[in-house]
Amino acid sequence: MNVNNSRHSNVNRRNTAVRHSPRHYNRPPYRYGGRGYYCHRPYYYHPYRPFYWGPAWHPWGFFITTLATTAIIVSVENQKYHYDNGVYYVAENDGYTVVQAPVGATVQTLPKEATTVEVNETTNNYYYGGAYYEKDANGYTVVPATAGTIVPSLPEGGEETKIGDQTYVQFGDTYYQPVQVDGKDMYEIVEVKDEE
């Protein structure tokens, strides 16, 4: 696999920020190093195993020389991205590098493998390849992750990070706590707060 995660490492870093959970936390946070790690579900460690979304999906940092004819151009804040089947690319002199989905990008369709994830009792997002989408009249728009959201799997590009005696999976500024839901290993997006 041709992956170079050093390329464009500063592109889209803002989409690793986490929105505040709309639900009240009934559990006390895990506290370590002056920070509180808030989750709705109890910590349940399981090893991080990146999920494979199929042959059309590529992890962040993956480099290709040509795009499929089905790729479209999406512009966000004067930056052009090429989008194809759930994957975003930025052009380089010699090809294209996969980047994180840019917050604010709107596309008309999502891959059939996209799943619905519950943000709260009245709101759902769509999840594919580590990106979160909200549906509106214009299509599907990339939004920041919302704390408390449970996802079934994580893409390549994460790093297991030991904080005290708990291990999280970290993507940029987003932490995922391993949890178990109905006997299945999943991940909950953590809300991290600086505490005195």
Side-chain angles (χ1 to χ4, degrees), residues 7-58:
R7 291 182 172 200
H8 297 288
S9 59
N10 63 349
V11 174
N12 305 345
R13 296 310 286 178
R14 64 191 173 87
N15 78 336
T16 64
V18 174
R19 295 191 289 189
H20 175 73
S21 175
R23 296 180 287 158
H24 174 72
Y25 293 103
N26 291 324
R27 304 175 50 75
Y30 175 70
R31 290 186 168 91
Y32 186 82
R35 300 174 104 187
Y37 297 82
Y38 290 79
C39 284
H40 297 288
R41 293 191 169 266
Y43 177 83
Y44 183 90
Y45 178 75
H46 51 82
Y48 164 55
R49 291 186 184 93
F51 186 75
Y52 175 69
W53 271 273
W57 183 81
H58 301 296

Side-chain angles (χ1 to χ4, degrees), residues 91-103:
E92 297 188 0
N93 292 337
D94 51 353
Y96 303 87
T97 300
V98 176
V99 294
Q100 296 165 314
V103 170

Side-chain angles (χ1 to χ4, degrees), residues 11-19 74-79 81 88 99-107 130-134 140-146 174:
V11 174
N12 305 345
R13 296 310 286 178
R14 64 191 173 87
N15 78 336
T16 64
V18 174
R19 295 191 289 189
V74 177
S75 182
V76 179
E77 294 183 4
N78 298 319
Q79 169 73 45
Y81 300 88
Y88 294 83
V99 294
Q100 296 165 314
V103 170
T106 299
V107 295
Y132 300 87
Y133 296 85
E134 286 181 358
Y140 299 89
T141 301
V142 178
V143 296
T146 302
T174 305

Side-chain angles (χ1 to χ4, degrees), residues 77-139:
E77 294 183 4
N78 298 319
Q79 169 73 45
K80 285 187 180 178
Y81 300 88
H82 298 267
Y83 171 83
D84 188 40
N85 204 27
V87 182
Y88 294 83
Y89 304 84
V90 291
E92 297 188 0
N93 292 337
D94 51 353
Y96 303 87
T97 300
V98 176
V99 294
Q100 296 165 314
V103 170
T106 299
V107 295
Q108 297 305 306
T109 60
L110 294 177
K112 66 180 184 327
E113 297 86 4
T115 58
T116 302
V117 292
E118 181 181 296
V119 175
N120 60 40
E121 294 81 10
T122 60
T123 307
N124 290 331
N125 280 348
Y126 297 88
Y127 177 73
Y128 180 82
Y132 300 87
Y133 296 85
E134 286 181 358
K135 185 170 176 31
D136 60 25
N138 297 321

